[in-house]
Structures are given as C-alpha cells and as structure tokens.
C-alpha cells in the first residue's frame, strides 16, 4: 500500500512540475512575426518642422531578427541635407539594416542608447555599445541610434527622453 501512495505522490509532483514549466514557458514573450516601430524627436534647427527619426518594419522568426526595413518614407528626417557626411548614411544604411539579421531579439533589446534631454542621441563616445555590437555606421552615430531605437520600439521597448532632473 505504501508503494502505491508513494508512486501516486511522485506522479502528482511530476505532473505539477511539468504543468508549472509549461505555464511559465507559455507566459514568456516569444517573438515571431512582423512588427512596426519608430523613434523620433524634435529637430533643433527647425522646432516647428519635421522631426528627426525613423520608422521600421522588423521581421522576426523564433526570437531571431531576419529582416529590418526602413519604412520612414519622408515622414521624418533620417539625415540632414546640410550634414557634410550625408553620403555615409545614404551609402551604408542598407548594410546597417542587414547587420540586424541573425541577432537575437533579447540581445537587441538589451543595448542601451544614451540620449540628450530633447531625445537626440549622444555622439559615438557615449554610445559605444552600438559599435561593440556591430550596428554602427562610423560618422553616423545618431542615425544608427535612431535606427536601433526604432527597432527596439517595434519589439516593445519604450524609450523615454527628457527625464533629466535639474539641481536646485
């Protein structure tokens, strides 16, 4: 009789553990599909005009990014016309979009971008994590940061700027 109760107790415990693991796995965020995101902030040189920013479409399969597309279509300023290094972004944007392919969603979401009070990304020295992760166009750090923040937005990460507390 003791053997039957012991066997039933082991069976019940095993079932409970298996159900718990299954429920926990079902509750975790899995990414599979097409997601849209954007990041933008006011243009300091034209505060009433178009914002700097990007809109993206991100395709994910089994938590791995398989494609990132720029779908901004003129809604935001991606790169300033007067910027002397404008051709760098234009020439390398396609390459940078491809650099996201094969990256895990969790790794992309973990990269931190540092922003000025108005939402403008800081220069390369303060956003070196992009270079360390291979998703930076040299001399186009702000554009690279805008792209990353748009991708993160598509994947559900909220970015707040202007949270700087001033000393009295």
């Amino acid at each position: 009789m003791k053997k039957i109760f012991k066997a039933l107790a082991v069976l019940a415990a095993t079932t409970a553990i298996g159900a718990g693991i299954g429920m926990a796995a079902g509750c975790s965020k899995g990414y599979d599909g097409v997601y849209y995101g954007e990041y933008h902030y006011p243009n300091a040189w034209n505060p009433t005009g178009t914002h700097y920013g990007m809109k993206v479409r991100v395709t994910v399969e089994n938590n791995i990014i398989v494609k990132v597309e720029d779908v901004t279509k003129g809604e935001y300023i991606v790169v300033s016309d007067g910027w002397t290094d404008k051709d760098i972004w234009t020439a390398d944007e396609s390459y940078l979009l491809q650099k996201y392919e094969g990256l895990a969603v969790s790794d992309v979401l973990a990269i931190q971008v540092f922003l000025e009070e108005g939402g403008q990304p800081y220069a390369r020295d303060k956003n070196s994590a992009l270079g360390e992760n291979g998703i930076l166009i040299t001399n186009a750090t702000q554009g690279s940061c805008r792209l990353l923040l748009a991708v993160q937005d598509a994947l559900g990460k909220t970015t707040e700027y202007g949270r700087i507390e001033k000393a009295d």
Side-chain angles (χ1 to χ4, degrees):
M1 194 64 134
K2 283 184 179 181
K3 288 183 181 181
I4 293 174
F5 285 119
K6 187 175 181 180
L8 287 174
V10 169
L11 179 61
T14 304
T15 303
I17 290 171
I21 290 171
M23 287 174 50
C27 292
S28 66
K29 175 82 171 157
Y31 292 89
D32 201 16
V34 177
Y35 304 90
Y36 291 86
E38 63 185 280
Y39 181 76
H40 63 94
Y41 56 91
N43 178 345
W45 292 272
N46 184 8
T48 60
T50 306
H51 283 201
Y52 279 108
M54 285 193 78
K55 288 183 129 182
V56 295
R57 178 175 39 234
V58 181
T59 305
V60 180
E61 294 177 2
N62 296 322
N63 296 319
I64 301 296
I65 296 172
V66 295
K67 190 170 190 174
V68 176
E69 300 167 86
D70 179 353
V71 294
T72 307
K73 297 183 181 172
E75 188 169 337
Y76 301 122
I77 297 170
V78 177
V79 64
S80 297
D81 287 335
W83 184 246
T84 56
D85 291 334
K86 182 186 172 197
D87 292 338
I88 292 172
W89 178 263
T90 305
D92 290 344
E93 180 188 13
S94 178
Y95 169 74
L96 183 58
L97 293 168
Q98 293 174 47
K99 294 289 285 182
Y100 282 86
E101 295 173 10
L103 297 178
V105 168
S106 59
D107 292 339
V108 171
L109 290 173
I111 302 169
Q112 186 172 5
V113 175
F114 293 97
L115 304 170
E116 294 183 27
E117 187 174 355
Q120 175 177 326
Y122 280 107
R124 181 176 164 193
D125 61 328
K126 294 181 180 166
N127 278 308
S128 59
L130 278 75
E132 294 165 7
N133 285 281
I135 52 173
L136 172 73
I137 295 175
T138 304
N139 295 327
T141 301
Q142 291 180 342
S144 300
C145 288
R146 288 190 288 264
L147 173 58
L148 172 60
L149 291 167
V151 169
Q152 288 178 337
D153 178 64
L155 300 173
K157 183 175 182 178
T158 302
T159 300
E160 295 181 38
Y161 59 86
R163 297 181 296 122
I164 300 171
E165 295 181 22
K166 309 262 188 223
D168 290 333

